[in-house]
Amino acid sequence: MLTTLKTVYTDTCAADLAWALGREPLPALATLELELAGAKMQLRLLGASHQVLLEEAQGSCSETVACIPGSSTPLPLGVSKRMGDWEYEFAARVETLTRGQFAGRAQELLALVAEHPHGLAGVFPGSPHAFTAMLAQRHEGSMMWRTWHAYPQDGQLVATRTRVGVRMPMPAVL
């Protein structure tokens, strides 16, 4: 699903993004509710980027990547965390692209997400390449999502990848 967000573009640069787990739902400009093999998931586009809410029989998870006033947790390159019966894995990278590369990549990502049944993308007013996009899937017992946060003024694209799944027991050593 592709939407034009009714707000001003508030993220100023990739370095302003922060990461947080366990935050309460923040006001969303657009949402996509999904049910994937018994897991309830809500993809949320915020004025300041994204939030994913996940509920399953094993528990719940809330991930926020956004400009969070007062946050002391900058966007990490990677996180691996145990949360009850779940393993949570997060990775992020920042790509710096030329103006032409950026425009092409933005069009490619928006087309991919807009046509996907588990995708949500929001374009900010003022630039067709200022957007946040999210794509979710369930694979082999894990919930996974990818996000893209575009900063055309700097030619930067922030890509994140998250996997939440049941913790696998360690095999016995022979």
Side-chain angles (χ1 to χ4, degrees):
M1 178 170 84
L2 178 62
T3 186
T4 298
L5 301 172
K6 293 173 179 37
T7 188
V8 293
Y9 186 56
T10 57
D11 288 349
T12 56
C13 65
D16 290 342
L17 287 176
W19 167 87
L21 276 178
R23 289 186 79 96
E24 291 296 317
L26 297 171
L29 300 172
T31 61
L32 179 63
E33 306 247 355
L34 300 171
E35 187 156 339
L36 301 170
K40 291 182 181 184
M41 179 180 252
Q42 190 176 86
L43 305 180
R44 303 167 59 81
L45 296 178
L46 312 175
S49 282
H50 90 258
Q51 187 174 50
V52 175
L53 305 177
L54 173 64
E55 274 190 52
E56 259 193 311
Q58 292 89 348
S60 62
C61 175
S62 166
E63 173 190 277
T64 306
V65 172
C67 296
I68 304 169
S71 176
S72 60
T73 307
L75 189 65
L77 294 177
V79 173
S80 184
K81 205 172 177 97
R82 288 186 176 178
M83 299 169 40
D85 290 338
W86 282 349
E87 289 182 8
Y88 171 91
E89 296 171 356
F90 173 88
R93 75 175 191 285
V94 179
E95 297 177 58
T96 302
L97 306 166
T98 66
R99 187 176 299 255
Q101 290 172 323
F102 192 92
R105 185 78 170 124
Q107 289 176 340
E108 174 185 284
L109 288 169
L110 288 171
L112 169 74
V113 175
E115 296 176 14
H116 196 285
H118 305 139
L120 176 63
V123 177
F124 290 90
S127 172
H129 301 132
F131 68 90
T132 299
M134 309 170 73
L135 191 60
Q137 69 177 22
R138 184 166 188 111
H139 181 70
E140 295 181 0
S142 293
M143 296 299 300
M144 295 181 278
W145 56 91
R146 299 192 62 191
T147 72
W148 298 271
H149 306 263
Y151 301 92
Q153 71 277 13
D154 299 324
Q156 290 187 317
L157 184 66
V158 178
T160 73
R161 176 180 40 83
T162 302
R163 184 191 76 79
V164 177
V166 175
R167 202 166 59 192
M168 302 305 268
M170 293 292 288
V173 178
L174 299 176

